[in-house]
Amino acid sequence: MNIPFDPSTVLIGGQWHKPQSQVYLGLYDPSTGEVIGQIARGNEGDIDAAVCAARRALDGPWGAMSALERGRILSRIGQAVLDHVDDLSALETMDVGKPLSQARNDALALARYMEFYGGAADKVHGQTIPYLDGYTVYTLREPFGVTGHIIPWNYPMQIIGRSLGAALAMGNACVLKPSEEACLSALMFARIAQDAGLPDGALNVVPGTGTEAGEALCRHPGVAHVSFTGSVNAGEKVQSTAAHHVAPVTLELGGKSPQIVFADADLEKALPFLLNAGIQNAGQTCSASSRILVERPVYEAVIEQLAKRYKALRVGPAKDDLDLGPMISARQQVVVQGYLDKAQKDELSIAAQGAIITDAPKGGHYIRPTLLRDVPPDHALAREEIFGPIQVVMSFDDEAEAIALANGTDFGLVAGVWTKDGARQMRMAKALRAGQVFINNYGAGGGVELPFGGIGKSGHGREKGFEALYGFSTIKTVAAYHG
Ligand code: NAD
């Protein structure tokens, strides 16, 4: 596919132009390893220009716009995204190495976020507060001002939707720093938003590296809030950099999310979820279920069924739309292969592996999906986020052990519970340390409406749903004394 625009530009104040830095980064197709173009490597100057343009938008038409009108613009963007689903999906497939049908789901989710936040923009209110005699007290819910948005490469469209959708709905003006590994859908989305009537400066986009453009955005005193989605290491830096001017930060970080299968579970229903939650997007998903905990009476049966499915998995170029595409980069391929090598060195038991198709391009970053069994809970593969298509299966004997295992990592993003016992469902939902708990499903189909975020090293703050609208706004209390 030809890229239908110049990908080496930045968007500042409604104008597309080359970066001030005059420096560029290579753009790679992960399915082939080939260079397919170049993108801007924005620097501090580009970020400063973007923040100033966002400030001007707030002082101009965007800042003066009613919530109703902002909502209408977002809804129009949602419709325009739907009109471009095919182009967006094809671009994402090439850029991220995501099988076409998975990229299409992301484009549809982006449209849905715009629709949701378009409809919600005028439905978030302040309150009146009964107070002392002679006072009238109320709260105003206001935008922060300029918000910074730093996103990863694994689900660019979904994360753009949830983060920008909520921030724009609340009247913030945004500076987006997409990932240097995949930014094409961000650039195309910004064009779509412009064409749908988003005023100049309400959204500015500066691609670049994390340590240069990303840090400059967090450090900029004109940025009133930072929304970061990415790794724990980078999240720690983002939080400490933004702390220099005391800007609040939302951190959406990694996970090691468990699915817990009790012996009474409906295994036929559970099995597709157990598998897909591990291999979707080649395991490069924050909420991937990389741990499967199984009650001992059904342990062998679950492994046998999963192994059968693993052996049928096919990995290849994203455009072939197989079960899995490549890893995003050679670097990520090395990281994941390192975990497989460690598994072998430590004599972990491989229950099954999928296959890379024979004619997959030699330069592509392919990894065989791998199911490991009987992995000790303290082993690195059972504790660390791998971000590749590797799932570990472990057994437990009772509810208490299941909870201890499930809560036994530094992360707390998502958990799934499979059981027919209603009382146990409620106990588990309370006991699990996670931002989302799914009972007899996993992921609930993406759930634009469902607040999402982590605890522990999975981060803090919530995006998605109405909760994000509160997260991207602040409260002003007005106390009027009238006697
Ligand atoms: P990453 O942390 O390397 O990069 C994410 C973004 O942060 C990129 O845009 C990068 O340029 C930028 N960045 C890196 N260092 C920075 C710094 N010091 N200051 C400012 N910005 C910086 O992560 P990645 O490899 O792109 O993505 C994978 C990670 O993202 C995984 O850990 C995954 O779990 C996490 N993730 C979390 C969620 C969630 O919602 N919780 C969703 C998707 C991905």
Side-chain angles (χ1 to χ4, degrees):
M1 179 200 186
N2 288 329
I3 303 169
F5 50 83
D6 179 357
S8 64
T9 50
V10 298
L11 172 64
I12 292 175
Q15 303 299 313
W16 291 94
H17 53 72
K18 298 284 184 189
Q20 285 184 25
S21 66
Q22 303 279 355
V23 182
Y24 302 91
L25 296 163
L27 183 62
Y28 296 87
D29 178 346
S31 295
T32 62
E34 285 165 9
V35 181
I36 51 173
Q38 57 178 17
I39 58 164
R41 180 174 155 178
N43 65 9
E44 198 174 352
D46 293 298
I47 289 291
D48 181 55
V51 174
C52 292
R55 186 69 253 168
R56 283 196 299 280
L58 288 168
D59 297 337
W62 177 245
M65 201 172 272
S66 68
L68 170 65
E69 192 51 34
R70 287 199 305 271
R72 282 183 174 150
I73 290 175
L74 288 179
S75 300
R76 283 206 297 275
I77 297 174
Q79 184 55 53
V81 168
L82 284 178
D83 296 341
H84 288 87
V85 160
D86 290 341
D87 290 342
L88 281 164
S89 326
L91 209 57
E92 195 81 319
T93 289
M94 182 174 69
D95 200 15
V96 178
K98 194 178 280 243
L100 194 54
S101 48
Q102 295 181 29
R104 196 177 164 78
N105 283 342
D106 290 0
L108 292 172
L110 171 57
R112 175 75 190 109
Y113 276 113
M114 293 298 136
E115 288 168 353
F116 179 83
Y117 287 118
D122 59 352
K123 295 172 187 65
V124 182
H125 313 135
Q127 295 175 319
T128 53
I129 300 171
Y131 193 55
L132 302 176
D133 193 30
Y135 282 88
T136 297
V137 180
Y138 58 95
T139 58
L140 295 171
R141 192 162 274 285
E142 298 182 335
F144 280 109
V146 178
T147 50
H149 302 257
I150 301 176
I151 66 167
W153 45 264
N154 61 341
Y155 287 85
M157 287 194 275
Q158 296 222 22
I159 298 168
I160 285 168
R162 73 186 194 196
S163 168
L164 293 181
L168 291 170
M170 294 313 293
N172 299 284
C174 306
V175 177
L176 171 66
K177 207 297 284 172
S179 169
E180 58 273 45
E181 313 244 36
C183 66
L184 293 184
S185 57
L187 297 173
M188 184 155 179
F189 169 76
R191 284 177 160 79
I192 292 171
Q194 264 187 311
D195 291 347
L198 188 66
D200 291 350
L203 170 60
N204 306 274
V205 186
V206 181
T209 66
T211 47
E212 196 171 12
E215 276 193 34
L217 185 57
C218 300
R219 203 170 41 240
H220 199 296
V223 173
H225 179 282
V226 178
S227 157
F228 173 82
T229 306
S231 62
V232 176
N233 282 347
E236 286 173 4
K237 287 187 190 128
V238 163
Q239 182 157 322
S240 65
T241 309
H244 284 117
H245 61 287
V246 201
V249 171
T250 302
L251 294 182
E252 298 276 5
L253 309 179
K256 192 73 182 173
S257 299
Q259 287 191 78
I260 304 153
V261 185
F262 285 95
D264 69 340
D266 182 337
L267 291 188
E268 278 315 301
K269 280 210 179 113
L271 279 160
F273 287 91
L274 297 179
L275 176 74
N276 291 338
I279 57 136
Q280 184 181 308
N281 205 30
Q284 303 167 115
T285 303
C286 55
S287 54
S289 176
S290 46
R291 294 186 297 151
I292 300 174
L293 316 180
V294 187
E295 201 170 14
R296 203 170 302 274
V298 292
Y299 187 60
E300 292 303 332
V302 168
I303 290 179
E304 189 188 325
Q305 287 299 318
L306 274 176
K308 205 185 289 175
R309 287 167 164 80
Y310 257 80
K311 286 176 191 155
L313 292 175
R314 292 291 167 266
V315 187
K319 65 176 172 41
D320 288 6
D321 206 16
L322 303 173
D323 303 303
L324 288 88
M327 301 285 94
I328 183 72
S329 61
R331 182 177 58 89
Q332 187 66 14
Q333 184 186 24
V334 167
V335 168
V336 179
Q337 187 57 50
Y339 277 103
L340 287 177
D341 294 346
K342 181 164 177 53
Q344 198 179 15
K345 185 172 143 274
D346 295 348
E347 296 178 350
L348 297 184
S349 170
I350 294 182
Q353 286 190 295
I356 300 166
I357 60 169
T358 47
D359 53 353
K362 290 290 164 264
H365 313 307
Y366 301 104
I367 286 280
R368 291 179 72 188
T370 303
L371 183 70
L372 294 164
R373 58 171 296 166
D374 314 330
V375 178
D378 57 349
H379 193 278
L381 273 93
R383 303 188 62 80
E384 296 172 12
E385 184 185 50
I386 296 171
F387 229 53
I390 302 176
Q391 285 179 295
V392 300
V393 195
M394 295 181 265
S395 63
F396 65 85
D397 284 311
D398 57 25
E399 213 173 287
E401 191 186 0
I403 292 166
L405 278 174
N407 291 346
T409 73
D410 295 339
F411 297 103
L413 194 55
V414 171
V417 182
W418 294 89
T419 176
K420 292 190 189 120
D421 180 335
R424 174 181 278 157
Q425 293 169 1
M426 299 302 109
R427 286 194 300 273
M428 293 297 291
K430 271 195 170 175
L432 287 168
R433 206 173 150 269
Q436 286 188 329
V437 174
F438 296 102
I439 297 168
N440 292 331
N441 79 97
Y442 193 85
V448 163
E449 302 85 347
L450 314 181
F452 179 79
I455 52 180
K457 287 205 171 176
S458 292
H460 53 74
R462 295 291 177 267
E463 293 194 340
K464 302 174 71 165
F466 254 71
E467 206 58 39
L469 298 165
Y470 306 130
F472 279 110
S473 57
T474 181
I475 282 283
K476 179 187 285 171
T477 305
V478 182
Y481 181 70
H482 39 69

